[in-house]
Amino acid sequence: MGRRLFLSLDIALKVVLIALLAQAIANPDLPQYSGKAMLGRALTFPIAALLVPAVWWLRYRDRPYPIDVDLLFTAPFVIDVVGNALGLYDSIDWWDDANHFFNWMMVTAAAALVLLSTGLGRLNCFALAVGFAALTAIAWELAEYVTFIRFSPELATAYTDTLGDLTLGTLGGTLGAAVVGLRTRPGAILRPVSGPDATVR
């Protein structure tokens, strides 16, 4: 029942993500979507939401579906789109900062879970996960600059904001990696299984 509940939640998050992105594309003139690169989000976020299912189906479908990894990886994209739909980035000063910290914490926790399944050891997995957090935080900031910041009034404060976002993303990712490293058994996600447990559950 627990796995079914979390799988239902996982599917629901993906449906909500697609629905909100469709709503944003259908209503680009709404003020909460102004200057937020919603087209870029609509093109890339669904790919991100389908990444874990695609990799599992192509490579690991003889093993239990990693619902925890998928939930952690999908939720940040949903939170971002919900924040845009409700105008929270414009109405709540700390919303953007909280997103950079907690969303990177979740995405990096997902990456750390996968890394632990490789048998590299906790310390190596932690270091790689923190590197993942920093690299993806940099990639996100570059994408923001290319898609809308360079044409926006935000350009005047972009340097300070970018430094803060990079710091928060890396710190959040470090926390996510640490929590996973301390609380998860290495090899628990994608390592091959044998015997009666070697079925998709």
Side-chain angles (χ1 to χ4, degrees):
M1 286 297 294
R3 283 187 61 83
R4 290 182 180 180
L5 177 62
F6 283 114
L7 182 59
S8 297
L9 175 60
D10 189 23
I11 294 171
L13 285 179
K14 296 181 191 300
V15 172
V16 169
L17 177 66
I18 300 300
L20 288 175
L21 289 170
Q23 194 266 347
I25 296 302
N27 300 277
D29 296 327
L30 291 177
Q32 63 264 41
Y33 299 133
S34 177
K36 297 298 192 297
M38 295 309 298
L39 178 60
R41 283 174 160 84
L43 293 174
T44 57
F45 283 15
I47 296 174
L50 294 174
L51 181 62
V52 173
V55 172
W56 175 80
W57 176 258
L58 292 172
R59 182 67 179 85
Y60 300 104
R61 64 178 181 269
D62 59 331
R63 303 165 200 177
Y65 185 73
I67 301 173
D68 46 3
V69 173
D70 200 14
L71 275 170
L72 287 167
F73 195 75
T74 302
F77 296 98
V78 179
I79 292 169
D80 175 80
V81 176
V82 168
N84 278 291
L86 298 179
L88 301 182
Y89 285 99
D90 297 322
S91 61
I92 301 178
D93 290 339
W94 50 262
W95 179 258
D96 182 66
D97 291 339
N99 271 247
H100 279 277
F101 184 86
F102 290 105
N103 284 352
W104 256 267
M105 180 181 72
M106 287 185 283
V107 168
T108 305
L113 283 171
V114 174
L115 286 166
L116 277 174
S117 72
T118 64
L120 288 174
R122 294 181 189 274
L123 186 58
N124 289 333
C125 291
F126 172 77
L128 287 170
V130 172
F132 169 86
L135 184 60
T136 53
I138 292 170
W140 180 271
E141 293 303 313
L142 288 172
E144 281 193 344
Y145 176 80
V146 170
T147 54
F148 68 91
I149 287 181
R150 58 179 174 159
F151 307 118
S152 167
E154 295 179 34
L155 182 62
T157 58
Y159 180 74
T160 300
D161 184 67
T162 297
L163 289 177
D165 291 346
L166 290 173
T167 301
L168 289 167
T170 303
L171 289 175
T174 300
L175 177 60
V179 170
V180 168
L182 291 172
R183 297 183 61 85
T184 305
R185 176 174 57 86
I189 308 299
L190 299 176
R191 180 171 293 180
V193 294
S194 59
D197 292 329
T199 57
V200 179
R201 297 191 292 272

